[in-house]
Amino acid sequence: MVIVGLGNPGEKYEKTRHNIGFMFVDKVASSNNVTFKLDKKLKCMIGEFSLNGEKHFIIKPITYMNLSGEAVRAVCDYYKKTSDDVIVIYDDMDLDLGKVRIRKNGSSGGHNGIKSIIAHLNTDVFKRIRIGIGHKPADAIDFVLGCFSKNDQNTLNTVFDKAPNMIDDLIYKGIDYIMNHYNG
């Protein structure tokens, strides 16, 4: 499985709403003793772990959000993975803060990182975990590149605390199970 956290590289973006995917996979990496290493050829920070007799990859693209598909495609090609092996974790402005929606496929919903992945994989059939960051004000760019308040971060920590279990359950029990168990 290729577990993709979407975000933007660099300290400037580290704690922004758009980096919720990075925050999620950092928690998964920590629970599996995964250390990320930079792979410029694959355009990502990448780590790996074994679970259920298989090797799994956690990636954080270094391409910036709008070009995330370049890294996902590079990793899939290099490790001979298909879109069925991919799960993408990202922010969603149409969901209330901390709400989780898991899907097997779908449109980009206007999210530029997902648009890029769909374009590079030539399909919209890949698993997704969307995490609500709250509803957007008039200026969406400033909103997604803004940081969470302390209260908002506390709300999100409850989601991040479940992150390792979500991925373990996905690997052991499948997408239908986590959709039924964690959606909402």
Side-chain angles (χ1 to χ4, degrees):
M1 176 159 294
V2 179
I3 304 156
V4 182
L6 294 189
N8 288 310
E11 276 185 51
K12 176 180 176 183
Y13 301 105
E14 197 170 281
K15 297 190 185 297
T16 64
R17 290 177 182 90
H18 228 13
N19 274 31
I20 208 163
F22 281 10
M23 296 173 200
F24 184 99
V25 298
D26 283 343
K27 190 75 170 184
V28 174
S30 176
S31 75
N32 287 287
N33 298 314
V34 171
T35 303
F36 288 101
K37 66 179 182 191
L38 175 63
D39 190 321
K40 289 182 182 179
K41 187 173 96 178
L42 298 180
K43 301 180 181 185
C44 66
M45 299 293 295
I46 188 167
E48 62 183 72
F49 67 100
S50 293
L51 194 62
N52 200 24
E54 293 181 37
K55 191 179 285 193
H56 304 281
F57 303 92
I58 302 174
I59 72 166
K60 299 191 296 188
I62 58 169
T63 56
Y64 290 92
M65 183 66 76
N66 295 354
L67 301 174
S68 298
E70 293 178 10
V72 175
R73 176 90 245 172
V75 169
C76 286
D77 287 350
Y78 187 78
Y79 290 105
K80 297 176 178 39
K81 300 292 184 181
T82 68
S83 64
D84 288 338
D85 299 313
V86 174
I87 186 159
V88 181
I89 301 93
Y90 62 101
D91 61 290
D92 191 320
M93 290 188 291
D94 293 326
L95 292 175
D96 291 337
L97 181 73
K99 288 286 183 189
V100 174
R101 290 284 184 268
I102 302 167
R103 297 180 64 191
K104 295 178 186 180
N105 57 43
S107 73
S108 70
H111 193 284
N112 289 330
I114 297 300
K115 283 181 189 175
S116 176
I117 294 169
I118 290 170
H120 282 83
L121 293 180
N122 295 314
T123 184
D124 67 356
V125 180
F126 54 88
K127 297 172 257 328
R128 304 126 195 260
I129 298 176
R130 298 169 20 222
I131 302 172
I133 60 170
H135 297 288
K136 65 182 172 188
D139 189 348
I141 293 173
D142 283 345
F143 180 69
V144 298
L145 295 179
C147 294
F148 293 107
S149 70
K150 187 171 180 131
N151 284 342
D152 288 353
Q153 189 62 55
N154 288 338
T155 298
L156 290 171
N157 286 341
T158 63
V159 174
F160 299 145
D161 288 345
K162 295 176 189 174
N165 289 337
M166 280 188 214
I167 297 303
D168 286 357
D169 286 345
L170 173 64
I171 291 167
Y172 284 109
K173 298 175 183 176
I175 187 72
D176 290 327
Y177 177 85
I178 69 165
M179 287 172 60
N180 292 328
H181 194 72
Y182 294 102
N183 268 339

